[in-house]
Amino acid sequence: MKKITILLCTIFMMLLNITSVNALEQDDIYFVTMNGVELTEIQYNNLRKGFSHDTINTMSKEMIDELKDDSNIKKVTTTKYVETSVHYIDGQVVNTAEKELSLNEFESAPKDAVITPMSGARFEAHDYVETNYKKITLDITYGASVSTKYVTLTNIWKTIPKVKSFDVLAIAPQVTSLSFNFSGHRSGYQKWDGNIVNYDIDSENWKLVSSTLFGKKGLGLSQNLVNDTTTSLENSITVVFLCGTDPFTVKASYQHATSDVSLAQSKKYTFGDNGMGDLIEFDSSVASKYDNTKGLSATLTLLT
């Protein structure tokens, strides 16, 4: 009987030790973001249900804390694959043509920008057409608090554009929403050749577009494409909106600068249905410097 008691005590201690180890592992720091936010493996995996690694890595603490312990994160996604051809004569853009592709067409497209010299007596050696390919995705992510929506716009270049200046990413809800002007409720990044440029809420590259005292039209972020980029390029912004309206619809637009522009010039826009990508209405002095990429729209419907 004594031996049985000792055996039972030993088994109990082993089980207690395993439980303690598991609890410790669950609380161990698994990942620390660029902004110093510490996450356990469970919290990181929760967030990965709705966001890419790079989005999590550049989010503010306020944005992460809202969702990190939510195990039921969901999202809706809209994606476009775009081919853009820009015609340059004497270094100036004279025409831009764009075509939306299927996934198969996009995957079959060249991995490098296609530079086609213009032929004929009327063209000089530096007159050409540049064709590039990009994948643009719009996500609406939410958790248990369905009135809090995280909207992410991400552009991934399959080919690296020749002109690298201030590109603009913009997001606008189609219903009255709040919060993106609150501290920490927006983030953005540019990822080039594996390196990250982090745009926090204090970056001068943000532009808030207001409509009323209590409601906001949306906001945009100007990103100066890194000149040293050679192999990979990705641009993204994430914005938090507080809105209980159902359905919730949002528009987004990514516009690439085909000519050199300054930060101040890139921020000369407002929002409107007749703008580039059905959203960004650039000032007339700037509009010709952008490629007029098609925009995206996504709708989250919770009640059916």
Side-chain angles (χ1 to χ4, degrees):
M1 184 69 179
K2 184 176 180 181
K3 291 182 178 179
I4 294 175
T5 302
I6 294 174
L7 178 61
L8 290 174
C9 288
T10 301
I11 293 173
F12 175 77
M13 292 302 295
M14 290 175 63
L15 291 174
L16 183 63
N17 185 56
I18 291 172
T19 302
S20 299
V21 169
N22 287 340
L24 180 62
E25 288 177 347
Q26 290 176 1
D27 292 334
D28 280 350
I29 301 305
Y30 175 76
F31 179 68
V32 180
T33 73
M34 291 182 67
N35 295 317
V37 184
E38 298 180 343
L39 295 170
T40 66
E41 185 173 4
I42 291 176
Q43 291 171 335
Y44 176 82
N45 288 333
N46 284 340
L47 293 170
R48 284 290 282 126
K49 296 175 183 177
F51 308 101
S52 71
H53 170 83
D54 295 313
T55 297
I56 297 170
N57 194 24
T58 51
M59 274 182 169
S60 67
K61 184 177 187 302
E62 292 86 348
M63 296 169 74
I64 286 177
D65 285 348
E66 178 77 22
L67 287 178
K68 67 183 182 182
D69 294 314
D70 194 326
S71 61
N72 196 34
I73 295 173
K74 300 176 182 178
K75 69 177 178 179
V76 296
T77 300
T78 300
T79 300
K80 283 188 177 181
Y81 305 93
V82 180
E83 174 190 273
T84 305
S85 296
V86 183
H87 185 177
Y88 291 89
I89 291 182
D90 197 25
Q92 301 297 315
V93 177
V94 296
N95 184 50
T96 300
E98 190 172 89
K99 180 172 66 173
E100 189 171 346
L101 306 177
S102 67
L103 173 58
N104 287 338
E105 290 173 326
F106 180 78
E107 291 180 338
S108 300
K111 295 182 179 180
D112 296 311
V114 179
I115 306 297
T116 306
M118 300 303 297
S119 59
R122 58 189 290 257
F123 297 108
E124 301 293 335
H126 51 267
D127 298 339
Y128 62 93
V129 175
E130 178 186 3
T131 302
N132 281 294
Y133 301 89
K134 50 186 179 285
K135 173 186 176 182
I136 311 174
T137 302
L138 178 62
D139 298 324
I140 303 175
T141 303
Y142 63 100
S145 177
V146 295
S147 61
T148 303
K149 280 88 171 176
Y150 288 63
V151 179
T152 301
L153 173 65
T154 302
N155 173 74
I156 300 176
W157 290 90
K158 182 174 185 179
T159 54
I160 305 301
K162 185 175 182 179
V163 174
K164 300 179 182 67
S165 191
F166 282 95
D167 286 6
V168 178
L169 302 90
I171 292 174
Q174 299 305 287
V175 292
T176 300
S177 304
L178 296 174
S179 93
F180 61 76
N181 197 26
F182 298 167
S183 176
H185 280 74
R186 58 182 184 267
S187 64
Y189 69 85
Q190 177 184 172
K191 186 175 183 179
W192 62 279
D193 295 358
N195 304 289
I196 292 279
V197 179
N198 187 13
Y199 302 86
D200 62 22
I201 193 171
D202 296 320
S203 171
E204 64 175 347
N205 295 48
W206 292 102
K207 176 174 180 175
L208 275 61
V209 181
S210 302
S211 58
T212 68
L213 180 62
F214 298 106
K216 300 290 185 179
K217 278 189 175 180
L219 76 171
L221 177 66
S222 298
Q223 294 190 359
N224 191 7
L225 302 189
V226 176
N227 290 330
D228 292 338
T229 304
T230 58
T231 59
S232 63
L233 181 59
E234 180 175 331
N235 322 86
S236 185
I237 58 173
T238 299
V239 186
V240 181
F241 295 102
L242 298 181
C243 179
T245 302
D246 187 16
F248 174 81
T249 299
V250 63
K251 285 185 176 182
S253 178
Y254 178 87
Q255 298 302 322
H256 169 61
T258 53
S259 303
D260 286 337
V261 293
S262 66
L263 174 59
Q265 287 177 314
S266 73
K267 296 169 74 173
K268 288 185 176 181
Y269 61 83
T270 185
F271 288 160
D273 292 339
N274 295 322
M276 293 187 180
D278 298 323
L279 182 59
I280 304 175
E281 292 187 346
F282 283 106
D283 184 86
S284 59
S285 64
V286 179
S288 63
K289 298 179 181 295
Y290 285 89
D291 65 357
N292 197 16
T293 300
K294 293 181 179 180
L296 292 83
S297 177
T299 299
L300 171 63
T301 303
L302 296 171
L303 299 178
T304 56

